[in-house]
Amino acid sequence: VQLQASGGGLVQPGGSLRLSCAASGFAFDDYAIGWFRQAPGKEREGVSCISHTGDTTHYADSVKGRFTISRDNAKNTVYLQMYSLKPEDTAVYYCSARWGLALMDPESYDHWGQGTLVTVSS
């Protein structure tokens, strides 16, 4: 199982980024995918997740209305489009996979990839 997050970088407050999570080595379209983030000195938290079909999505209250999760099962990829970024969005972002329901609790996920750093700063 491999999950690779990419697309992070330095962006000014109010800016946008799109993160990608490329998956391989498992039946991608049978798995829910979650995006999580961890800021320095803080615990990992759920940002958004999407069901294996893409029909169900969840968002943390802190990102609702600003972030959009989507998936392309033909490309084995999940995206996180981030708008109106704030300094408090600064963190390493990770994607993860679990068989079953899309959940926001990182403890529920089995497979993790390396993260991508998002820095929101002027």
Side-chain angles (χ1 to χ4, degrees):
V1 174
Q2 286 194 325
L3 295 158
Q4 181 62 56
S6 62
L10 174 63
V11 62
Q12 291 187 341
S16 302
L17 280 175
R18 188 177 81 157
L19 305 184
S20 298
C21 173
S24 62
F26 64 103
F28 179 77
D29 52 5
D30 286 342
Y31 281 70
I33 303 294
W35 280 102
F36 303 86
R37 66 187 181 187
Q38 189 165 19
K42 295 188 176 181
E43 293 187 353
R44 191 170 296 188
E45 63 174 354
V47 176
S48 183
C49 59
I50 188 167
S51 63
H52 68 289
T53 61
D55 291 344
T56 300
T57 58
H58 300 291
Y59 296 92
D61 287 343
S62 59
V63 307
K64 279 181 182 176
R66 299 189 297 121
F67 290 11
T68 301
I69 192 170
S70 62
R71 67 189 294 160
D72 185 340
N73 284 351
K75 295 183 178 180
N76 283 12
T77 303
V78 170
Y79 305 98
L80 186 68
Q81 179 68 56
M82 306 186 295
Y83 297 103
S84 302
L85 283 161
K86 304 176 181 179
E88 50 264 43
D89 295 318
T90 295
V92 177
Y93 284 69
Y94 301 87
C95 59
S96 184
R98 73 180 305 273
W99 191 89
L101 297 175
L103 301 175
M104 292 288 280
D105 178 8
E107 297 295 324
S108 300
Y109 284 75
D110 308 308
H111 308 290
W112 293 85
Q114 293 192 347
T116 185
L117 176 63
V118 172
T119 303
V120 184
S121 175
S122 55

